[in-house]
Amino acid sequence: MKRRRFLHTVGAGTAGLAAFSCSDRERAERLAGSDAGIDEAGLTWSKAPCRYCGTGCGVEVGVKDGRVVTVRGDVKSPVNRGLLCVKGYHLPGMLYGEDRLRYPMLRDGDNWKRISWDEALDLIARKYREALDESGPDAVAIYGSGQWTVFDGYAASKWFRAGMQSNNVEPNARLCMASAVTGFMTQFQSDEPMGCYEDFEVGDDFILWGNNMAEMHPVLFSRILANKRNNPGVRIVDIGTRRTPTTDYADMYLEFVPGSDLAIANGILHCLVRDGKISEPFIRENVVFKRGIEDIERIGFGSWGEDGLGLEPGDGPAEHYRFKDQGRDASLTELEDFLADYTPAKVSDISGVPAAQIETLGRIYGDPGRGTVSLWCMGVNQHTRGTWMNNLITDLHLITGKISRPGSNPFSLTGQPSACGTVREVGTLAHRLPADMVVTNADHRAKAEEIWNVPPGTINPKPGLHTMDMFRAFMRGDVKVLWTQTTNPWVSIPNLNRIRREPGDGRFLIVSDIYPTPSTEVADLVLPCAAWVEREGVFGNSERRTQHWHKAVDPPGEATEDAWQIIQVAKRMGMEHLFPWPEDYWHKPMYEEYRSFTLGLGKDVASYEQLEQTRGLLWPVVDGVETRYRYAAGHDPYVKKDRGVHFYKAKGYGEKAAFWIRPYHRPAEIPDEEYPFWLCTGRVLEHWHTGSMTRRVKQLHQAVSEGYVEMNRVDARRLGIGAGQIVLVASRRGELELPASVGGRGEPPPGSVFIPFFDEARLPNLLTLDAMDNISKEPDYKKCAVRIERT
């Protein structure tokens, strides 16, 4: 079948599709290319959120004979209202790949041997204990993800912080949304968006900042498109570095030079201030102005180098290149002076965007009669100035008063199912505790110690290693034992050549996963995990919706859930007091203990019983009622005003939001004569992240079976490269051979290429650089310099 026909067959309007594994050939042949369904007799249905992205679509799971055989979109879910994307319709297939991990496996030279769970857990406990005794809490680490359930992340954080007195707890979400966290925290002193998905029905203008929403968040994009069909005046603006399927639906497309989005945002602010399109009453009542360190290259950060971008960060201890922004008070007058350098003409010279388009965006943001929603994801976050870019987008809403009201909000989207619920809310970043609390704050530590019933002074006040530091420390040998769960870092870490390892190097790596991956290949011990509805779970999505599901089927072999593995190791280390609940009844009491952190703080998550009975609730949940719009009078129970907004979490700013003045800085690496092309990396519709699940679903794998380099037709013609021809892509860090895609679904401008990262056999992170945002410590996957050669 042609790809478009295939996607139409499996994705358009289908209520439920049978499950496939790579070995289900007969059933696949029966159903492929037809509308055939399955016999619903004897099916048992239950609810769950989708396993993939941060949208949090509701799914009904059909089980028969102990096997998930079908799914359908949950019409009762307020998120997706019965619709799923092509990955969601094929969810069950990811459970039944023929190479599922089923038993603990220990490396034995170049081979593997099966061991019992008792042997595996005893070994892990012994390795952690030895590392602690010999080298202290800095020598142990655990690395999870935004795919951890709330149970997994909470167990890991409690075990490490209250048990081993180590803050070396990190998620792979450091690589995807840490800049959104620091953006919200620096402006509101509380994380996560104030709006909700209902904005998509009531907004008038949708500004997509580097966000290919049609492929990355298709269900949410469909809600915007439905609004546009019903209200022809609705406008979509696509701001990007390449044309994508999202561009096809846009009313205006702005193509900018990679990294120049900082200048564009300041150019829009220039227009707003120049034309008097700002809300001075809103500003006086609700906003303070701040300005941070800008001349970073003059400060000196050791291994960060003179540019302050971390382009070639050293392999030494983290302290050698730490940076802490220092904000000072500023003013609207200072902002006006600052913006004088960002005229549309000057911004056009930097960005390549016509000045007229910048003026148009100024009129859109400045129109008080229209609701404006800004949306962004990895294009903004994976940026050496990602925090600044998050600040600038929110600045556009603060200066116009278009915030915390239906249809007018800055809205950061997330890529993993519980990057919000587990990483940001439970607090599984190296410096965080639940509910926006941090380990550096004595009062926060004291509250955690009280809830966890451990002696005062137990929690270490020193932040742990962020993700990039953690893996560098592991390669140096400073971290002796590292346990990864629900993630595939030997595919997803940038500049992969820096973390090449040979087992038997004196360090110990444990990998918990559901399938063999490049990460399990370099592990010393591999543990099989229960996936999705093979265990109980709680996720939190991009709109602050906490969702629960019950176990629906048994996992294969001896696979178990990640949280259980953590608890069992903790008990073997003499830390059973941290998990005092019965073996057969610990999910609910653990969740309610976590929930106690959030109550009374404006972060109140719903009770366990409420989650069981609903399709999730938006926090803060007070007296059983969810909050659709944070900080808004009439919506947020913590706001006591009769009207307007109240940024009550921002105690350090007098309960006002901070408008941060942020300049344009150049990218860490730009094309030159030797490496003349920009490289951007990202995802495609059919696959999710590193592809370890979706590539085992036959239909998704057949739709897009291998990685490729997307090229502009002009560049391909100039270099004599045809579609499908194998080319060499090389950067200063590595090289990669893969087929060229010319005239595909997306098209970069001349001088740029794009590579998706789902194919484990073709790793674009051999090429990417590990320069980081100096505030969020999030790497920049979106722009580096490469060359293209015919092979």
Side-chain angles (χ1 to χ4, degrees), residues 590-646:
M590 176 186 284
Y591 176 82
E592 290 296 344
E593 180 181 279
Y594 154 62
R595 179 173 175 255
S596 68
F597 278 91
T598 72
L599 299 180
L601 299 176
K603 306 285 289 189
D604 319 51
V605 295
S607 71
Y608 185 90
E609 288 83 358
Q610 289 167 334
L611 295 182
E612 283 188 304
Q613 296 163 9
T614 65
R615 264 54 176 183
L617 292 171
L618 306 174
W619 60 260
V621 178
V622 178
D623 297 329
V625 179
E626 67 179 0
T627 299
R628 288 155 51 235
Y629 293 96
R630 294 178 77 193
Y631 312 127
H635 291 279
D636 189 333
Y638 284 89
V639 173
K640 304 308 179 186
K641 289 182 176 180
D642 294 329
R643 58 187 298 275
V645 302
H646 179 201

Side-chain angles (χ1 to χ4, degrees), residues 183-339:
F184 282 115
M185 291 299 296
T186 54
Q187 296 191 276
F188 306 100
Q189 297 190 325
S190 183
D191 189 19
E192 298 195 45
M194 53 290 300
C196 66
Y197 294 163
E198 290 183 21
D199 284 334
F200 303 146
E201 277 76 50
V202 296
D204 299 304
D205 297 311
F206 297 90
I207 316 300
L208 279 54
W209 289 86
N211 182 15
N212 179 14
M213 201 172 175
E215 288 196 272
M216 303 305 104
H217 296 88
V219 171
L220 298 182
F221 195 59
S222 74
R223 292 179 63 165
I224 295 175
L225 294 182
N227 183 10
K228 188 173 175 62
R229 285 193 298 271
N230 295 330
N231 302 284
V234 168
R235 297 177 294 194
I236 299 172
V237 178
D238 180 23
I239 306 174
T241 58
R242 58 187 269 268
R243 288 181 175 271
T244 68
T246 301
T247 313
D248 296 338
Y249 297 96
D251 296 275
M252 183 169 71
Y253 172 59
L254 283 73
E255 190 167 271
F256 67 94
V257 174
S260 65
D261 43 1
L262 292 154
I264 294 169
N266 278 313
I268 300 169
L269 287 168
H270 173 99
C271 295
L272 291 169
V273 172
R274 179 199 65 195
D275 297 340
K277 297 296 184 180
I278 64 176
S279 178
E280 293 197 41
F282 182 91
I283 294 168
R284 283 195 298 271
E285 183 177 353
N286 300 295
V287 177
V288 298
F289 289 88
K290 294 286 180 179
R291 196 162 184 176
I293 296 174
E294 297 169 5
D295 199 8
I296 293 174
E297 60 268 29
R298 292 182 179 274
I299 296 175
F301 295 108
S303 299
W304 274 94
E306 293 183 358
D307 57 14
L309 292 162
L311 178 57
E312 290 297 338
D315 290 314
E319 289 77 8
H320 291 176
Y321 51 96
R322 285 200 183 276
F323 168 86
K324 183 175 178 58
D325 200 11
Q326 297 171 10
R328 64 168 177 82
D329 292 338
S331 66
L332 180 57
T333 300
E334 183 174 351
L335 173 66
E336 292 170 352
D337 293 340
F338 166 83
L339 292 173

Side-chain angles (χ1 to χ4, degrees), residues 73-96:
D74 188 349
V75 296
K76 296 181 180 179
S77 169
V79 172
N80 54 309
R81 303 165 182 175
L83 181 67
L84 295 174
C85 76
V86 67
K87 294 186 293 295
Y89 283 124
H90 287 89
L91 262 169
M94 70 89 164
L95 296 174
Y96 299 116

